[in-house]
Amino acid sequence: MSALRWGRGAAGLGRALWPAGHPGLLAEEGALAGVWGRRSRSSASPCEQDRRKDWGHAELLEDIHCLLLPLLPHVQCVSSSQERVLEARVRQLQAEGVAEVTVKRVPVAQAPEAGGGSGGVQPPGRAQAGAEGAAPVPSSRWAQKLDEEQRLMEKRKQRLRGKLQKHVEKLAWQRQLRVEPRLLSRRLAGQLQCWQQGAPRSPWEEQLLWLLQEAPPRLGREAPATPAGRGPASRLEGPRQRLLSFFECCLLTGHLPLAHHVLVTRHSKSQHQRLLTLPAYNTVMRGWARRGSFKELVYVLFMLRDAGLAPDLLSYAAALQCMGRLDQDASTIRRCLKQMAQDGLQLQGLFTAAPLSTEERAELLRAVRKAKPAFSPPRLPVSPPPVNTSLLLREIYSKQEPAVSYPRLHLSLKELQGLFRQQLRMEMAATVTVESVEKAPLLTKEVLHARKTLVGLRAQWRTALCRELQETRESEARAAQEGRASVFPYLCLLRDEDLVGMLLQTLQALPSQGESLLFLARELGLRILKRKRLRNQVQELEQRYSAYLHLLASDTQVAEPRLPRQHWEALGLPEAPREPSWPVSVLLQLGKVLVEMLVRTVQMPSNLAAPQGPGTLIPVLYHVYSFRSCRQIGILKPHPAFTQLLETAAERTLTFESTDVPMLCPPLPWTSPHSGAFLLSPTKMMRSVEGTQQHQLLLERCPPTALHGALDALTQLGNCAWRVNGRVLDLVLALFTDKGCPRLGVPAPPSQASQPPEGRLLPSALPANKAELRRELARRLKVVREMRSLRADALYRLSLAQHLRHRVFWLPHNMDFRGRTYPCSPHFNHLGSDLARALLEFAQGRPLGPHGLDWLKIHLVNLTGLKKRASLQTRRDYADTLMEDILDSADQPMTGRKWWMRADEPWQALACCMEVAQAVRAPDPAAYVSHFPVHQDGSCNGLQHYAALGRDSVGAASVNLLPSELPQDVYSEVAVQVEEFRKQDAEQGVRVAQVLEGFISRKVVKQTVMTVVYGVTRYGGRLQIEKRLRELHDFPQEFVWEASYYLVCQVFNSLQEMFSGTRSIQRWLTESARLISHTGSAVEWVTPLGIPVVQPYHRDSKVMIKGGLQSLTFSSSADTSQKPNTLKQKNGFPPNFIHSLDSTHMMLTALHCYRKGLTFVSVHDCFWTHAADVAVMNQVCREQFVRLHSQPILHDLSRFLMKRFCSEARTSKSVWVSRLMDTLLSVPKTGTFDLEQVKRSTYFFS
Amino acid sequence: MLTPPIMTSDMLFEYLGIEAQPWSKGAPLKVIGFLPIKNERNTLWKLLHDLYSCTSVYKYGRVELNMFVTEKECRKLMANPQNPSLYQALSVLCQIAWGIKLLHTEPCSSFDTYTSDGQLEKQKRRESEKNLCFIQLTPHRNLFTGTLTPFNYDVFFHMLRQCFMKRNAKLIDRLHSLSPIDGMHILKQIKKKKDVKVINMYPEDFQRLFETIECSKDDTYKWLYDDFMEDVVM
């Protein structure tokens, strides 16, 4: 008995010492471990004589224990007296009808040998045979004995029961978890049975080897590795992913036995077995390997074989890891490795097939080394680290050039370390509370009372929700126990308080008109996914980060200049394993469960709504349907009294997720598609709609060096330190808390909306009048709603700005599927409106230098939108003539002449005025340290890329690729060309051409020319022009339709004339995409920088979550198992391809600027840097443009598409494939434009 | 093949010298026609919105419609709790708005249909659509004499659609998502049992239910509805 207990205790301890894998372990589990810890200590002393007394403990603890704790497979023969007790217990349990699990577990409750360490596994011996209980013996004697025992021990038992009652109740569902598989293959089942019945000569590892060697093939089962086909297979794909995700989450939260149970349950039904894939079996196997539970691992292997699957590297890795943990003898391992080689699997692959934690790696290595002492695994940071050698990036990574001066931050190591700790604390807390900038209400009695009520209500809700959460978890657990992949493990990811806090926050943020249930469910699911921690080794991270900071801090030295990513990699620790993303259906189901909980639980006293009413509890949230045309949308709506209460209380805090605010320390450098940016929260390098896998898969499949360009560019963009422009913020806040100013982009409070007309209606009023009044009211309500949402947006932005004032912060970046970069923090970044941009400036200053002031002035004129077609010199001179207005704007922005308010971008213009004023007034303007970002814009950047691709001389000149005295304006030029065509037609007597005389201007054609790059069609173009023509009052309106149709044709003709190469490239791209889509694939390509791109446009697939409040249907167009959406693929390809080029250009510019020590950020085709460095940046920008387009981009594309889509011709699609081949081979001819001229073009970016 | 000239009803009415009449007066004009067979329901909803808000033709008063509709739709319009499978929100709204009289039933085979480009359409009717019913829809004179007005009709519409979303549920459960007022109290006032189901309520019952909630005195908030929830044509 003591051995038994001791064994378990040790296992319990071992379990507790195990790296938890995740912080979010079940609370009760932790408590249990505690119980065990204590018990194991007390029972470590021999207590033979006490064995019967202890029976009571054992009974209870055992049940819990064998379910929770894995059993060490080392066997120790228990003494015969103990055996008898065990046998009795077994029979008793059988009589009670307790599930087989418990029964089977008892005999294998084993303890490590006293000697520990050496020695193989001994046969289980009689204990096992008895425990199997194959032949029930007449049990009267034992029953008697037990009765006696029970009577004696009643008291003690009860006391213990009382103690453990809670746990036992909670774990009721865990009692019946199955461990043993039911196999469908008779041969395997026979083997399993005869093995279990304990032929002493066939220990577990024999079974393992037998299983690995024997591959009973079961025909008619598709290989699991094949990509999702269509038809029935794709229908299975959803449930398969869900199941896999369930297993993974179980592992993460420490519910491995449950995962095993579900696996066994599913496996035992042939229908359900189809849903189990090799990764699913491998996941569970890996779980057992981590725990060192050999028997269960072999069980899984049995099932894997039974399903007709062949073990792959991951299966072997799991088995070997387990053997490593158990210190298995070399011969077994050797045979295992031999078998692996026979299966054609590489030994090295074990270490690279899947990311392993340090500890797993060590165990795996230990096993392998036993067989092959000389083996050394492939080292992760291979030295020297591989370097990207592509033509475009060669310079970036070359070591020859000595004069590399990567920029450093202006902060010292110590300061940066402090900032890191702040950020870490923030991410650990998961949310940030920020004070609102809304005007504080007068603290009247009502306000105070409302606040008090809210506090009270929230406290009640918190407890109620906690209780409800536990109940929900229980019921989900029971669902899982029935073999369903329920959301149980996901509910265990976060601590209860956090989860409840999240729900209350959702309630708080619910708009008064309600929000759709689908949206809420998705948001909640996503938030849980995001909060899931990536790393646990905070200390390790801190050390490594500290070392990393030596590269960036102002007061440290590093041996050789390196890029941040290179430096981070050189610090050489294995990166954190990647957490798989969840399928949409899981996200939705999880979110829905939580939302339903909220609806069920949150209640308030009815007298809040009707003071005289009875004080019963009424729900705060209502589920109602909203009817939109022919669809019904379920929405959740807060009780109006609750909204009122919130409004009255006017609480002054806002809560954000920590990943939604800028970072307080430099972001982690991007080192792989899934690691970088935030310290703890996982962030994807390529953003996509949740549930879109294809981008991530592509990225992971490419060789690591191919992504270096993108990784480094993103890291560099994120490393730019920012600060808030306090003076602008003050002015904006003053306006904001007053009445707002929509003209300047400061939204007004909803109270500023025009009041509805007199609401009273005479009863005698005509029905028609009443209807009119109703419509009027509805219109006003709509306006108020829009104002409210604008106001909330601004409130978030300004509150964050206020919160970050006087701090330095960073905006980590990631990119979309085409490579365009975006800051991760949604509310406050440099991508937004004029107001948002004006609030930001560089935290690092730079002296203006000789030309900086000129650039500031030119930038100011650019911001006003005046003098667009004037030379730089003229613009600067113009600024000088305006100096009086500029200084006045800077000094008295709100009271003076308000010149800045008339600018195109008023707030940025104002900020620039202030900067100019300060610089001018400085004793030495050249030495004035400026923090102000100066922008340089590409003029119609899309067309620039097209013109360069097609080498169109005329087009190139019109988009400033050619050097010229004055900036060219493509829109005016198209207008001139159109006018020419019109004249010809008018002479020919075309009526509409005559009517249009004098109406063709830049403005009429501008939008169409601008959007032609993005694939606007004749149809859309006509609508755009129609709009413009309708604005012209003296244009005869009856001709609008005809004239707009005529004009759009002429615009297209003019573009054809000017950009002939461009148009043919566009057509070529479109046609290729159409054909590729017809062959059944989505269009893929690789940007010149090496980023793989795939267009995620497929036919809609629907995910449906049934039951509960309502059925949720989520439709997604990114499901790769659906056919591609030809229309979107074809129309999307040209613009997406051009975007992938402009992003490449931006990244190249960013990397080269970094090498030159510049601060650089971008808003797509608008590049920012310090005033002093504008000239350098412009030069880099032009050079890189030339470099980029000197590549045979189109031929490379053609070659890639050929290889990708034409190599494996399937017979059914061969017609399309051959047509595609023809198209791809005829790459459009290009013009004669000399690209080198770009280098001298001043107005290329200006 | 004749194509009628295109003209807006405003112009037509002016041309014919038809003037708006108060609701209490008789029908200013009678219309005879067909409901478009392909989207009868949408047209009916549109007509009901027009009627309850007194817009479009109903600006002119209680216009009488004489229409051919498919038999299936006709049976739905006239359904009540006696034939629960056909009973729906549209039935309630129609019966409260109009006096519905079935004038004649004619088999579909008596009609030839043409497509817009003048081709004779093939007859491929399902069994349920084999007859067309000629019905007379006369707006009730007393429609707006009570609490229901063109000002709040949309709440009434919403209430019905909301109720019929879960038609077999108990009314009391649906009331929760309609109004914060105590459901039991309301049921007592309209003299219904507490377990009455949505499909057991007659059109008049729904009207009374609406009036009861709309007229309730004590409560600050009568409805949970706001315009956001329906995109009524404005």
Side-chain angles (χ1 to χ4, degrees), chain B residues 113-147:
Chain B
T113 48
Y114 291 88
T115 58
S116 53
D117 52 352
Q119 297 293 310
L120 183 66
E121 228 174 59
K122 277 186 206 145
Q123 295 278 347
K124 40 173 183 185
R125 299 249 160 272
R126 273 164 277 148
E127 273 306 285
S128 59
E129 293 173 11
K130 70 176 179 206
N131 285 328
L132 286 187
C133 298
F134 192 54
I135 53 171
Q136 187 180 60
L137 305 170
T138 326
H140 286 304
R141 190 189 293 272
N142 56 359
L143 178 63
F144 296 125
T145 49
T147 318

XYZ file of all heavy atoms in Angstrom, chain B residues 113-147:
290
model
N -48.217 34.062 -70.116
C -47.286 35.071 -69.597
C -46.180 35.291 -70.616
O -45.764 34.374 -71.313
C -46.658 34.637 -68.267
O -46.206 33.297 -68.413
C -47.644 34.721 -67.124
N -45.751 36.516 -70.658
C -44.697 36.886 -71.591
C -43.502 37.408 -70.817
O -43.645 38.042 -69.778
C -45.189 37.974 -72.541
C -46.238 37.482 -73.510
C -47.584 37.500 -73.158
C -45.863 36.981 -74.753
C -48.549 37.028 -74.037
C -46.820 36.501 -75.625
C -48.159 36.523 -75.273
O -49.096 36.054 -76.120
N -42.318 37.148 -71.338
C -41.128 37.733 -70.718
C -41.004 39.166 -71.196
O -41.763 39.614 -72.061
C -39.866 36.960 -71.113
O -39.768 36.981 -72.523
C -39.924 35.531 -70.616
N -40.030 39.876 -70.630
C -39.925 41.300 -70.936
C -39.596 41.521 -72.417
O -39.925 42.561 -72.970
C -38.853 41.943 -70.059
O -37.663 41.216 -70.200
N -38.968 40.561 -73.074
C -38.667 40.785 -74.480
C -39.723 40.162 -75.400
O -39.470 39.884 -76.564
C -37.263 40.285 -74.829
C -37.052 38.850 -74.394
O -37.941 38.320 -73.698
O -36.026 38.266 -74.757
N -40.876 39.926 -74.829
C -41.996 39.557 -75.665
C -42.124 38.078 -75.988
O -42.952 37.695 -76.799
N -41.310 37.235 -75.368
C -41.411 35.796 -75.621
C -42.506 35.190 -74.740
O -42.653 35.570 -73.576
C -40.078 35.118 -75.284
C -38.917 35.580 -76.128
C -39.051 35.167 -77.576
O -39.298 33.997 -77.857
N -38.925 36.125 -78.479
N -43.188 34.252 -75.297
C -44.199 33.546 -74.515
C -43.484 32.628 -73.537
O -42.611 31.852 -73.926
C -45.094 32.728 -75.441
C -46.246 32.002 -74.744
C -47.247 32.976 -74.155
C -46.947 31.071 -75.723
N -43.841 32.740 -72.260
C -43.155 31.922 -71.259
C -43.804 30.550 -71.186
O -45.011 30.422 -71.332
C -43.226 32.607 -69.895
C -41.887 32.647 -69.202
C -41.973 33.464 -67.941
O -42.780 33.115 -67.078
O -41.239 34.469 -67.845
N -43.001 29.553 -70.952
C -43.554 28.204 -70.841
C -44.278 28.051 -69.508
O -43.863 28.622 -68.503
C -42.418 27.186 -70.923
C -42.025 26.871 -72.350
C -41.000 25.751 -72.364
C -40.156 25.856 -73.617
N -38.781 25.459 -73.384
N -45.316 27.276 -69.539
C -46.039 27.015 -68.294
C -45.300 25.941 -67.510
O -45.181 24.822 -67.983
C -47.457 26.518 -68.616
C -48.331 27.542 -69.312
C -48.958 28.522 -68.344
O -48.937 28.303 -67.140
N -49.508 29.609 -68.879
N -44.751 26.328 -66.398
C -44.143 25.288 -65.556
C -44.474 25.589 -64.103
O -43.628 25.970 -63.313
C -42.636 25.183 -65.786
C -41.952 26.521 -65.952
C -40.455 26.368 -66.012
C -39.826 27.742 -66.100
N -38.397 27.728 -66.276
N -45.738 25.496 -63.834
C -46.180 25.818 -62.480
C -46.188 24.572 -61.629
O -46.518 23.483 -62.103
C -47.602 26.376 -62.524
C -47.716 27.631 -63.328
C -48.006 28.792 -62.426
N -47.665 30.031 -63.095
C -46.446 30.553 -63.046
N -45.506 29.963 -62.363
N -46.184 31.679 -63.671
N -45.883 24.767 -60.385
C -46.025 23.646 -59.464
C -47.502 23.507 -59.078
O -48.299 24.429 -59.301
C -45.169 23.878 -58.211
C -43.747 23.395 -58.378
C -42.854 23.972 -57.309
N -42.426 25.318 -57.712
C -42.190 26.302 -56.861
N -42.352 26.115 -55.598
N -41.795 27.475 -57.284
N -47.826 22.418 -58.477
C -49.213 22.152 -58.107
C -49.804 23.296 -57.292
O -50.896 23.767 -57.539
C -49.287 20.859 -57.274
C -49.412 19.596 -58.104
C -50.570 19.644 -59.081
O -51.705 19.506 -58.607
O -50.361 19.806 -60.312
N -49.022 23.769 -56.332
C -49.540 24.761 -55.397
C -49.866 26.075 -56.096
O -50.591 26.894 -55.574
C -48.523 25.004 -54.298
O -47.320 25.454 -54.894
N -49.299 26.268 -57.263
C -49.515 27.554 -57.917
C -50.431 27.406 -59.114
O -50.398 28.207 -60.034
C -48.173 28.122 -58.363
C -47.284 28.492 -57.206
C -45.899 28.880 -57.691
O -45.713 29.061 -58.896
O -45.016 28.989 -56.836
N -51.232 26.378 -59.080
C -51.970 26.156 -60.333
C -53.162 27.091 -60.476
O -53.695 27.233 -61.557
C -52.375 24.697 -60.462
C -53.449 24.275 -59.480
C -53.860 22.849 -59.730
C -54.910 22.491 -58.700
N -54.973 21.077 -58.425
N -53.563 27.735 -59.380
C -54.667 28.679 -59.473
C -54.228 30.087 -59.111
O -53.346 30.277 -58.286
C -55.782 28.283 -58.508
C -56.561 27.096 -59.027
O -56.703 26.927 -60.239
N -57.030 26.279 -58.114
N -54.868 31.051 -59.728
C -54.700 32.437 -59.291
C -56.001 32.875 -58.643
O -57.088 32.542 -59.112
C -54.401 33.342 -60.489
C -53.010 33.263 -61.109
C -52.854 34.347 -62.160
C -51.936 33.409 -60.046
N -55.853 33.616 -57.547
C -57.039 34.111 -56.862
C -57.173 35.599 -57.116
O -56.196 36.337 -57.063
C -56.929 33.885 -55.356
S -56.818 32.161 -54.931
N -58.374 36.025 -57.388
C -58.629 37.452 -57.566
C -59.186 37.970 -56.245
O -60.261 37.547 -55.820
C -59.626 37.650 -58.712
C -59.743 39.069 -59.152
C -58.609 39.783 -59.527
C -60.980 39.696 -59.223
C -58.707 41.085 -59.946
C -61.081 41.019 -59.642
C -59.939 41.712 -60.010
N -58.419 38.805 -55.568
C -58.866 39.241 -54.249
C -59.025 40.756 -54.206
O -58.379 41.482 -54.964
C -57.898 38.815 -53.131
C -56.480 39.268 -53.451
C -57.948 37.330 -52.879
C -55.517 39.070 -52.310
N -59.905 41.168 -53.307
C -60.145 42.598 -53.133
C -59.561 43.012 -51.779
O -59.859 42.388 -50.759
C -61.641 42.866 -53.150
C -61.977 44.345 -53.155
C -63.471 44.543 -53.167
O -64.159 44.089 -52.248
N -63.983 45.179 -54.202
N -58.710 44.038 -51.784
C -58.090 44.503 -50.541
C -58.570 45.917 -50.255
O -58.145 46.875 -50.902
C -56.560 44.490 -50.672
C -55.922 43.156 -51.086
C -54.454 43.352 -51.425
C -56.062 42.143 -49.968
N -59.470 46.042 -49.306
C -59.994 47.361 -48.953
C -59.416 47.778 -47.605
O -59.657 47.104 -46.604
C -61.530 47.316 -48.803
O -62.029 46.381 -49.742
C -62.138 48.676 -49.001
N -58.675 48.865 -47.543
C -58.111 49.274 -46.261
C -59.210 49.562 -45.239
O -60.249 50.134 -45.590
C -57.341 50.552 -46.588
C -57.054 50.455 -48.035
C -58.205 49.709 -48.645
N -58.982 49.163 -44.012
C -59.972 49.406 -42.967
C -60.087 50.891 -42.661
O -59.082 51.582 -42.538
C -59.574 48.657 -41.686
C -59.812 47.186 -41.777
N -61.028 46.643 -42.083
C -58.981 46.128 -41.597
C -60.939 45.324 -42.095
N -59.692 44.977 -41.810
N -61.285 51.342 -42.513
C -61.518 52.753 -42.232
C -60.969 53.141 -40.848
O -60.435 54.220 -40.659
C -63.029 53.024 -42.272
C -63.423 54.501 -42.240
C -64.931 54.634 -42.061
N -65.672 54.127 -43.231
C -65.972 54.866 -44.290
N -65.632 56.129 -44.326
N -66.631 54.363 -45.305
N -61.053 52.203 -39.915
C -60.677 52.543 -38.543
C -59.235 52.137 -38.201
O -58.890 51.962 -37.052
C -61.642 51.871 -37.561
C -61.671 50.361 -37.777
O -60.990 49.845 -38.663
N -62.435 49.669 -36.958
N -58.426 51.944 -39.256
C -57.070 51.455 -38.996
C -56.288 52.377 -38.070
O -55.609 51.941 -37.150
C -56.321 51.290 -40.330
C -54.875 50.828 -40.235
C -54.795 49.442 -39.616
C -54.225 50.802 -41.621
N -56.406 53.672 -38.288
C -55.577 54.617 -37.527
C -56.353 55.339 -36.436
O -55.935 56.371 -35.966
C -54.952 55.644 -38.475
C -54.009 55.030 -39.455
C -54.167 55.227 -40.820
C -52.958 54.252 -39.012
C -53.296 54.665 -41.717
C -52.071 53.682 -39.917
C -52.240 53.887 -41.276
N -57.502 54.799 -36.056
C -58.262 55.522 -35.046
C -57.751 55.237 -33.641
O -57.984 56.005 -32.726
C -59.755 55.144 -35.111
O -59.829 53.723 -35.124
C -60.417 55.726 -36.341
N -57.025 54.155 -33.449
C -56.546 53.804 -32.118
C -55.137 54.301 -31.863
O -54.764 55.418 -32.255
N -54.352 53.486 -31.237
C -52.991 53.849 -30.859
C -52.038 53.743 -32.048
O -51.043 54.450 -32.123
C -52.504 52.899 -29.754
O -53.567 52.706 -28.842
C -51.314 53.465 -29.042
